[in-house]
Amino acid sequence: MSEDLVTLTFPDGAEKKYPKGITGYEVAESISKGLARNALSITLGDEIKDLNQPIERDDSININTWDTEDGQYTFWHSSAHLLAEAIQELYPEAKFGIGPPIESGFYYDIDFGDESFGQDQIEKVEKKMIELARNKSEFSKRNVSKQEALDFYKKKNNEYKVDLIEDLEDGNITFYQQGDFVDLCRGPHLPDTSSIKAVKLTKLAGAYWRGDSDSKQLTRIYGITFPKQKLLDEYLERVEEAQKRDHKKLGKELGIYMMDSMVGPGLPLWLPNGTVLRRTLESFLRQEQIKRGYQEVITPHIANVDLYRKSGHYPYYKDSQFNPMEVDDDEYMLKPMNCPHHHQIYSNELRSYRELPVRLAEFGTVYRYEQSGELNGMSRVRGFTQDDAHIYCMHDQLKDEIKHVINLTQYVFSTFGMPVDIRLSYRDDNDEKYGGDSEYWDRAQKEIKEVADEMDLDYKIAEGEASFYGPKIDFIIRDAIGRKWQLGTVQVDYVMPERFDLTYVGSDNEKHRPVIIHRAPFGSMERFVSILIEHFAGDFPLWLAPQQIEILTISEDYTEYANQCAEKFKDAGFRVKVNAEAEKVGAKIRDAETSKIPYMLIVGSQEQQDGTVSVRRHKMGDIGTFPLDEFLDKVKEEVDTRALPPAHETK
C-alpha cells in the first residue's frame, strides 16, 4: 500500500502522505480552499512545477502564491507568454525569440520584420494583454517530438525557435498553449490567465539574437504584471523613488564621479568627494581585515597572458577581456582577475602548516570588456577595483575560515543597514562550464552547505550559478526601497591549487594541497558605491559623508569664530568647511541641504559670546544649540558607532 503513497515535506518540516499522482492544486486544496484559490505553482525540491503536475515521488514541497519568489517567477513567466499572444494578434507576421521571467517582471525578444514598433504602440499592446487575460485561457502543456517541433516552427518561418530546438534533446521538448498562442517552453505556468489583472510595459531595447553582434537585432520588450492594480501603483511609486535615487544623477550632483569621452566609456574618474567616500570605505574594511589576520598585498595592472592561461581565465572569459598587447615579443593583457597574482605570491616561498591560514587581501583594480550597451554609470564599468582576498588553508581549517568570512560579510552589510539574503550557488550538469574534478565539486558543495546549516543561515540553493572553479555563497542585499543586489561572495576552490601546484609542508613533513577561499564583501568599489548612493539617496551616514559639517556665519563678523570652531573639528578628524560668504544664512542653509551635508552649524553673536553652535541636521532642521565641546563629543560618538542617518534608522 505504501508504494501508492508519496511523502511530502512542507516548509515548516511537517510531513504528510498523499496518493501518488496527486497534483499540486489538490495538495493546496487539502490544506485550505483559500490557499488553493491563491496558489500559482508548486516547488518540488528545487524545481518549480505547474499546479496540475502529478507528484510521483517523495519530496519537499512549497505551495507558491504571489508573495513568494517562485510564485512571482511563475506569474511573470506566464505574463511573457501573454505579451507574445497580444503581439501575435496585433502583428501576425512577428517572430518570437525568447521570453523569460526576470527579477522584476519579464521580457520578450521579437523580430517585427518590416513593421516598426516603438513607444507609440506600447499602450495598445497593454490593453490587448488585459483583454486576453480576461478570457481566462488555460495554459496547457504537451510533449512534442523534436521533429514535430522543428516542423511547427519551420512552417512559421521562425528561425529563432528552430535554432533553439536544434540544441534540445528529443523526448524533452514541450509546448505550452494559451488561447491561440503556442510557444516552445518547459514551464512552469499559471493555471490560466485570469489572475493577471494589471500590466505595464516598461522599456524597449535592442537585443542581438543569442547575444551575437553578428546576428540580427531584435526588439526586446520589458514588462511587469500584478494580480491587483494597487500592487502596480505601488510598484510605479517605487520606480519613481528609484529614479530620484539614481546614482548617475546624484553622483554628478554630489561630485562623486564623472565620465569623460576622452578617457573612454566605462572608465569612471573619482572626483574629490567620491575619493573621500571610497577611501573611507577602504579604511573601514582594511581595519576589519587587519583585526582578522589579513595581510595586504599590491599587484600590477597587467601581466603575461600565460598567467591567465594557467588559471583558465584566458581564453575561458576571452569575450569579456581586453585583447592582449605585444610587449618585448611576448603577450601581456590588462588584469581581469586578482586571484592568479595572489597565487603567485603564495607560492613565492615554501609554506608550513604552522603558517596556515594565509590570508592575502588587496584593493586590486581589474579590467573587463563590457559591451557599450551594457555600461551603466558606476554599476557596470570596464575598470573597477575589487576588495579581493584569498585565504589559503588546510582542509581541516576550511569550515572555520568560511564562517569567519561570512561573519565579516554580514558585519559589513549590517553596518549599512542592508538586510541580506543568502544563496548557495552550485554547478549544473554542463561540464564545459566548469574546471576541475567533479569529486572536488561535490566535496566543496557539501562543505558550504554544512557551514550554512551549522550557522543556521536561511539560504536557497541555485544550480548553475557557480564560478567556473568552485561553488560559492552569494550575499544578496536589499536596499532601503526593497531592491535586491548581489554583492559579496565566498567561493571554495579546489581547482586553482592544482593548476598552480600550490603546496604546504604538513606536520608529516610531506607536501599537501591547500584549499582556497575567494572572498569580496563589497564586490567592486564602483558598483558598491553606486548601490550605496541609491540606498541612502545620497544622505550618507556621518562617518561616511564626504563633507560632514559646514559652519555657516550669520555675517562676515563671525568668520574668525567659525574658523576657530572648524579647526577644533579638523583636529578631531572631521571633514568640515566654513561658509563665510556675504549672503543670507537662509541661502547658505539651502545650499548645504542640497549638498546633503549632515550637519550645519550656524554661528552669530550669541554663539560667539557663549562658545556654542546652533545646529541643523540635514532633513530634520534645527535640533538645538550646544556648547561646542558637547556637540563635538556627540558627533565623535556618532562616527565611532557608525550610526545610520536618523531618517534611515526608521525604515
Side-chain angles (χ1 to χ4, degrees):
M1 181 71 179
S2 61
E3 291 182 1
D4 296 321
L5 298 175
V6 292
T7 301
L8 299 180
T9 305
F10 291 86
D12 63 358
E15 294 184 350
K16 193 171 180 181
K17 294 187 182 297
Y18 290 93
K20 185 181 287 188
I22 192 171
T23 67
Y25 178 83
E26 289 168 335
V27 172
E29 194 173 38
S30 75
I31 298 170
S32 78
K33 291 192 180 298
L35 179 60
R37 191 165 53 250
N38 292 315
L40 304 177
S41 62
I42 59 170
T43 300
L44 282 178
D46 296 325
E47 192 172 358
I48 311 173
K49 301 277 191 180
D50 297 336
L51 271 178
N52 62 3
Q53 172 84 35
I55 301 171
E56 304 289 348
R57 67 175 192 274
D58 298 348
D59 216 330
S60 61
I61 186 171
N62 284 284
I63 310 295
N64 300 322
T65 61
W66 169 257
D67 295 325
T68 65
E69 285 188 13
D70 288 354
Q72 291 179 6
Y73 179 97
T74 309
F75 197 90
W76 289 329
H77 194 176
S78 301
S79 299
H81 282 230
L82 183 64
L83 165 62
E85 183 184 4
I87 293 293
Q88 179 178 270
E89 285 220 5
L90 296 169
Y91 302 90
E93 300 304 313
K95 293 186 283 189
F96 301 97
I98 58 171
I102 54 178
E103 187 175 344
S104 292
F106 56 90
Y107 69 78
Y108 219 120
D109 291 342
I110 301 167
D111 181 353
F112 284 94
D114 295 331
E115 295 254 20
S116 62
F117 188 89
Q119 289 291 341
D120 294 345
Q121 286 78 40
I122 288 291
E123 188 176 344
K124 180 171 64 173
V125 177
E126 290 173 343
K127 288 179 178 177
K128 177 58 71 172
M129 288 177 69
I130 291 295
E131 176 190 320
L132 293 170
R134 289 172 180 156
N135 291 340
K136 201 176 180 179
S137 300
E138 292 185 4
F139 285 91
S140 59
K141 176 182 179 180
R142 66 185 176 96
N143 295 307
V144 295
S145 69
K146 188 167 186 174
Q147 191 57 54
E148 184 182 353
L150 287 170
D151 290 345
F152 179 83
Y153 281 109
K154 283 178 180 177
K155 187 175 180 181
K156 284 181 167 288
N157 196 30
N158 187 328
E159 64 270 29
Y160 309 109
K161 298 292 187 183
V162 169
D163 188 19
L164 293 173
I165 294 165
E166 295 284 6
D167 294 337
L168 299 178
E169 279 187 40
D170 202 354
N172 293 310
I173 300 173
T174 54
F175 281 178
Y176 272 84
Q177 180 169 354
Q178 91 275 5
D180 294 327
F181 179 70
V182 178
D183 206 355
L184 171 73
C185 184
R186 63 181 181 183
H189 285 290
L190 302 170
D192 62 60
T193 59
S194 63
S195 58
I196 302 172
K197 307 283 191 184
V199 173
K200 183 67 178 176
L201 299 182
T202 55
K203 187 171 69 171
L204 296 179
Y208 293 111
W209 175 240
R210 293 205 165 190
D212 182 355
S213 58
D214 293 330
S215 298
K216 183 169 182 178
Q217 191 174 66
L218 309 182
T219 299
R220 176 168 292 180
I221 305 176
Y222 288 90
I224 194 164
T225 54
F226 294 91
K228 295 178 182 177
Q229 182 63 39
K230 180 186 175 186
L231 293 173
L232 174 57
D233 294 340
E234 290 171 353
Y235 168 79
L236 294 175
E237 287 176 13
R238 290 196 300 274
V239 169
E240 186 178 352
E241 177 62 25
Q243 289 171 346
K244 293 176 187 175
R245 293 168 178 258
D246 186 353
H247 80 274
K248 297 186 291 297
K249 171 178 172 287
L250 289 176
K252 180 178 180 180
E253 292 174 0
L254 300 177
I256 304 297
Y257 78 100
M258 63 175 281
M259 295 290 187
D260 184 84
S261 59
M262 291 294 288
V263 175
L267 299 169
L269 300 171
W270 291 82
L271 299 174
N273 280 351
T275 302
V276 169
L277 180 61
R278 172 170 160 170
R279 294 299 186 218
T280 305
L281 288 168
E282 289 177 357
S283 177
F284 160 62
L285 185 56
R286 183 174 281 118
Q287 289 170 18
E288 285 301 317
Q289 289 177 162
I290 290 169
K291 289 179 193 174
R292 298 166 195 253
Y294 287 82
Q295 303 172 77
E296 195 161 3
V297 297
I298 299 173
T299 61
H301 291 245
I302 65 170
N304 194 298
V305 172
D306 286 342
L307 177 67
Y308 308 117
R309 288 196 177 104
K310 189 174 185 178
S311 70
H313 292 103
Y314 186 89
Y316 193 88
Y317 290 124
K318 185 177 178 182
D319 290 344
S320 63
Q321 295 169 2
F322 285 96
N323 291 332
M325 63 189 89
E326 193 170 309
V327 181
D328 296 334
D329 298 324
D330 218 335
E331 282 190 312
Y332 285 72
M333 64 184 293
L334 289 169
K335 177 173 62 173
M337 290 278 190
N338 296 305
C339 40
H341 298 249
H342 291 192
H343 304 334
Q344 294 300 100
I345 290 173
Y346 174 87
S347 62
N348 182 53
E349 56 187 278
L350 187 63
R351 305 283 182 175
S352 163
Y353 73 97
R354 294 187 180 91
E355 296 175 64
L356 271 54
V358 172
R359 307 179 184 98
L360 302 179
E362 176 181 18
F363 290 97
T365 302
V366 298
Y367 301 89
R368 311 268 177 85
Y369 175 71
E370 300 281 359
Q371 294 188 27
S372 58
E374 296 175 334
L375 298 174
N376 181 25
M378 282 216 295
S379 64
R380 195 77 180 262
V381 292
R382 288 174 173 167
F384 54 93
T385 301
Q386 294 178 309
D387 58 322
D388 242 340
H390 297 90
I391 300 165
Y392 305 83
C393 63
M394 295 183 287
H395 183 259
D396 61 6
Q397 298 170 323
L398 177 64
K399 287 170 69 172
D400 281 342
E401 287 301 309
I402 294 173
K403 290 175 183 178
H404 294 158
V405 171
I406 290 172
N407 284 332
L408 171 61
T409 305
Q410 290 178 319
Y411 172 72
V412 166
F413 294 138
S414 68
T415 299
F416 301 102
M418 294 172 165
V420 178
D421 295 328
I422 292 175
R423 181 178 71 200
L424 306 187
S425 294
Y426 288 0
R427 64 175 290 165
D428 56 27
D429 295 330
N430 185 353
D431 292 338
E432 294 181 4
K433 289 166 58 178
Y434 309 104
D437 193 299
S438 61
E439 181 184 340
Y440 289 142
W441 277 87
D442 293 342
R443 184 176 181 177
Q445 290 180 175
K446 177 175 177 287
E447 286 161 338
I448 64 172
K449 186 177 186 303
E450 287 174 353
V451 167
D453 289 336
E454 287 170 18
M455 295 184 74
D456 199 26
L457 301 179
D458 185 12
Y459 62 84
K460 288 193 172 184
I461 293 174
E463 293 190 358
E465 295 296 324
S467 297
F468 84 91
Y469 47 77
K472 56 182 178 164
I473 303 172
D474 291 321
F475 296 84
I476 298 148
I477 64 97
R478 278 173 281 135
D479 67 15
I481 57 174
R483 296 172 300 177
K484 293 184 177 181
W485 309 90
Q486 182 184 324
L487 284 174
T489 61
V490 180
Q491 301 167 15
V492 178
D493 179 4
Y494 284 99
V495 175
M496 292 301 157
E498 295 285 340
R499 290 191 176 182
F500 282 83
D501 193 24
L502 304 181
T503 61
Y504 67 89
V505 178
S507 58
D508 58 0
N509 232 20
E510 298 292 328
K511 286 187 175 181
H512 302 271
R513 290 266 184 256
V515 188
I516 300 174
I517 300 171
H518 304 242
R519 57 109 275 214
F522 292 146
S524 102
M525 299 304 295
E526 286 73 9
R527 185 164 179 265
F528 185 71
V529 167
S530 76
I531 293 167
L532 213 56
I533 291 170
E534 298 191 8
H535 176 59
F536 288 115
D539 301 327
F540 299 113
L542 182 63
W543 70 275
L544 196 55
Q547 184 183 336
Q548 297 166 314
I549 298 168
E550 184 152 315
I551 302 176
L552 316 176
T553 58
I554 296 290
S555 75
E556 294 177 352
D557 296 340
Y558 309 107
T559 301
E560 184 177 348
Y561 177 62
N563 286 332
Q564 289 171 1
C565 294
E567 286 305 312
K568 201 155 190 174
F569 284 105
K570 287 177 183 177
D571 289 344
F574 284 89
R575 299 181 286 275
V576 58
K577 290 182 181 178
V578 172
N579 185 346
E581 297 295 323
E583 58 180 333
K584 291 183 178 180
V585 74
K588 295 178 183 180
I589 291 170
R590 284 193 298 275
D591 289 344
E593 282 285 342
T594 300
S595 298
K596 301 182 185 289
I597 297 165
Y599 284 105
M600 291 146 271
L601 311 185
I602 301 167
V603 296
S605 64
Q606 194 65 51
E607 288 80 15
Q608 180 173 279
Q609 179 181 317
D610 298 342
T612 60
V613 286
S614 180
V615 182
R616 294 182 66 89
R617 188 68 162 91
H618 175 58
K619 296 179 83 172
M620 291 178 64
D622 185 3
I623 62 171
T625 299
F626 298 82
L628 184 60
D629 288 342
E630 181 184 327
F631 181 71
L632 180 57
D633 289 341
K634 169 183 162 52
V635 289
K636 277 181 181 176
E637 182 182 5
E638 189 172 337
V639 167
D640 290 344
T641 59
R642 297 194 179 94
L644 293 170
H648 198 84
E649 288 173 346
T650 62
K651 290 191 180 297

